[in-house]
């Protein structure tokens, strides 16, 4: 009797699965209109999850429990009784909230790349690292204001987390538009892709030639910066930024598009006209986008984008990237600082006397810089240095306008606050919370992060429905979303004015290769 009930239950589950997934299978088998693209083969839907997916989730659970549950408790347990004030408990709440949301991203059945990277950054940079700094009584940069400004910054970080989640909920319950036309997917044009490959080669060659060869790219970031500022590569900061952008961004995007083409098309893997440019772009990216001479956050962009492009459908890779990213950020990321400077005694390598010491390095100055931004605005009230009311965001959006044309163009937020602090090194972070608060105050900050959450959820949903599931190697969405997910680390860290330059170049590259026409002769096959 028990066996009969079990078989009946399994049969009912199988029928329910087939009923709910029947529309998706029917859509996949629907013939294309006359003159359109060839129909896809019928979609085969498994009745049960693949064993590999179950195994990856089983391995993720103890890892997430260890990193999300035990890590905050272990850090908090090292605090002395006098340290456990309101700021400490508030920061612990921020860490646990971000950890719970990161765990949800790791264990979700649907890959959410942009939301996942947001919570990975939030957990490490805005959660665990500031908690360790409070426990040790050390901060990467000096805290210029009162302790209350730091407490307010922590509270606003928590408010931003909640606002981001509210934005994702609004996107989830967004009503479907009635009578909306079906949008044609954005596809990669094959002839234009080859044009982008040529642009990538030319831009990277110009960047390499400006340094006299590839040697400085394997020296240190300081060597690259010295060459750029010495006049050998460009005559201005804007010129050097454009040269660096055009030497790195087109090469990365072209590599991502060719990689996706080869991953999903056996014909492309056998075609020398695809294979040879791909091999050349791999070599070019090893020079211009390597982790030695590039900022670590940019290398994270390259790494995440390539990882999610090479494995477009693997939930195990997605979960490993998020869960393993926490361990890498805490244990390995700070020690990559040895590539930043020359070995002449100026290196800022971490010499840890405590297991928490790497978390008080300059890489994790986001919360304390948010507190300093609050102090900067409060100290400037009545001196024309309060909230900028959108001028900071406008300067970041129109970054390409020279200051000779726009004399009132704002400086980087991190530079502006760093000069007020009297810092000799003003290459400081300005997290998205600080950027929005500097412009619009707490209400505008919450509204901005709610909009970011809404946009992230909508993009992740479209990616899940049509991007990574699509077997079309020319899907622009499937190429853009992994790159945006990786670049989210830079956007969240800030300053925005530094980050928008590469975004502008990427938009130009995407506009070059994108088409909405279904001409089979000009698409990737």
């Amino acid at each position: 009797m028990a066996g009969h009930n079990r078989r009946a239950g399994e049969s009912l589950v199988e029928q329910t699965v087939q009923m709910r997934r029947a529309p998706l299978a029917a859509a996949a088998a629907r013939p294309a209109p006359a003159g359109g693209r060839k129909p896809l083969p019928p979609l085969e839907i498994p009745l049960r999850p693949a064993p590999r997916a179950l195994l990856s989730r089983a391995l993720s659970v103890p890892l997430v429990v260890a990193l999300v549950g035990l890590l905050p408790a272990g850090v908090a347990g090292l605090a002395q009784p006098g340290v456990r004030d309101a700021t400490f408990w508030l920061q612990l709440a921020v860490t646990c909230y971000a950890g719970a949301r990161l765990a949800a991203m790791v264990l979700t059945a649907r890959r959410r790349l942009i939301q996942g990277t947001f919570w990975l950054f939030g957990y490490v940079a805005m959660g665990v690292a500031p908690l360790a700094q409070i426990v040790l009584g050390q901060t990467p940069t000096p805290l210029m204001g009162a302790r209350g400004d730091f407490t307010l910054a922590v509270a606003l970080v928590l408010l931003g987390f909640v606002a981001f989640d509210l934005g994702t909920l609004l996107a989830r319950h967004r009503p479907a538009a009635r009578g909306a036309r079906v949008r044609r997917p954005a596809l990669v044009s094959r002839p234009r892709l080859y044009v982008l490959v040529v642009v990538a080669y030319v831009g990277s060659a110009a960047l390499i030639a400006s340094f006299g060869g590839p040697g400085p790219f394997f020296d240190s970031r300081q060597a690259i910066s010295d060459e750029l500022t010495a006049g050998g590569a460009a005559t201005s900061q804007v010129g050097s930024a454009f040269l660096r952008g055009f030497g790195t961004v087109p090469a990365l995007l072209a590599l991502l598009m060719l990689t996706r083409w080869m991953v999903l098309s056996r014909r492309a893997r056998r075609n020398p006209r695809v294979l040879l440019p791909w091999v050349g772009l791999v070599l070019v990216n090893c020079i211009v986008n390597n982790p030695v001479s590039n900022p670590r956050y940019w290398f994270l962009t390259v790494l995440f984008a390539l990882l999610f492009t090479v494995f477009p459908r693997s939930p195990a890779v997605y979960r490993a990237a998020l869960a393993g990213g926490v361990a890498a950020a805490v244990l390995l990321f700070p020690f990559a600082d040895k590539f930043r400077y020359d070995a002449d005694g100026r290196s800022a390598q971490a010499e840890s006397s405590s297991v928490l010491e790497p978390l008080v390095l300059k890489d994790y100055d986001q919360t304390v810089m948010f507190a300093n931004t609050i102090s900067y605005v409060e100290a400037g009230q009545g001196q024309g240095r309060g909230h900028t009311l959108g001028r900071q965001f406008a300067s970041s959006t129109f970054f390409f306008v020279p200051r000779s044309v726009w004399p009132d163009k704002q400086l980087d937020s991190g530079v502006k606050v760093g000069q007020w602090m009297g810092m000799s090194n003003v290459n400081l972070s300005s997290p998205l919370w600080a950027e929005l608060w500097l412009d619009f105050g707490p209400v505008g900050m919450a509204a901005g992060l709610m909009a970011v959450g809404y946009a992230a959820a909508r993009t992740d949903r479209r990616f899940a429905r049509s991007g990574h599931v699509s077997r079309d190697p020319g899907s622009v969405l499937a190429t853009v979303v992994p790159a945006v997910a990786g670049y989210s680390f830079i956007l969240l860290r800030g300053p925005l004015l530094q980050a928008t330059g590469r975004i502008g170049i990427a938009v130009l590259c995407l506009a070059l290769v994108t088409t909405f026409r279904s001409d089979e002769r000009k698409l990737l096959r």
Side-chain angles (χ1 to χ4, degrees), residues 312-370:
R313 301 187 183 95
S314 173
V317 170
Y318 164 75
R319 295 183 183 122
L322 293 186
V326 176
V330 173
L331 301 177
L332 301 179
F333 193 71
F335 294 96
D337 206 47
K338 67 180 182 179
F339 297 125
R340 176 171 290 185
Y341 301 105
D342 295 329
D344 60 354
R346 290 177 290 174
S347 179
Q349 299 183 38
E351 298 179 359
S352 299
S353 58
S354 168
V355 293
L356 303 181
E357 197 74 23
L359 297 176
V360 301
L361 297 178
K362 182 177 173 292
D363 298 290
Y364 301 118
D365 65 341
Q366 285 76 35
T367 300
V368 67
M369 283 304 298
F370 187 14

Side-chain angles (χ1 to χ4, degrees), residues 194 197 201 258 262 268-283:
Y194 285 118
V197 171
Y201 280 133
L258 287 178
M262 295 179 63
R269 292 194 293 270
R270 298 176 178 178
N271 189 348
R273 291 180 296 179
V274 181
L275 183 60
L276 293 179
W278 180 83
V279 172
L281 285 172
V282 170
L283 296 176

Side-chain angles (χ1 to χ4, degrees), residues 155-201:
L156 289 173
V157 169
L158 182 58
L159 174 63
F161 283 164
V162 175
F164 183 89
D165 271 341
L166 289 178
T168 61
L169 290 176
L170 290 176
R172 183 182 305 174
H173 299 289
R174 177 177 179 267
R178 296 183 179 179
R181 295 185 302 174
V182 178
R183 298 178 181 178
R184 293 183 178 180
L187 302 173
V188 176
S189 169
R190 187 170 66 250
R192 297 181 188 177
L193 176 57
Y194 285 118
V195 174
L196 178 61
V197 171
V198 174
V199 172
Y201 280 133

Side-chain angles (χ1 to χ4, degrees), residues 104-151:
M105 294 297 106
V106 173
L107 298 178
T108 183
R110 176 184 296 173
R111 300 196 314 164
R112 299 170 182 174
L113 300 188
I114 301 179
Q115 295 176 71
T117 53
F118 175 89
W119 289 114
L120 175 59
F121 178 88
Y123 175 68
V124 175
M126 313 298 286
V128 175
L131 182 62
Q133 294 163 16
I134 293 174
V135 168
L136 294 179
Q138 304 176 28
T139 54
T141 54
L143 180 63
M144 303 301 295
R147 177 75 168 179
D149 291 343
F150 192 89
T151 305

Side-chain angles (χ1 to χ4, degrees), residues 144-145 372-373 375-376 379 385 415-423:
M144 303 301 295
N372 286 329
T373 303
S375 303
Y376 165 82
R385 207 177 59 220
V415 172
K416 185 186 300 184
V417 177
Q419 291 177 348
W420 171 77
M421 295 169 59
M423 299 287 292

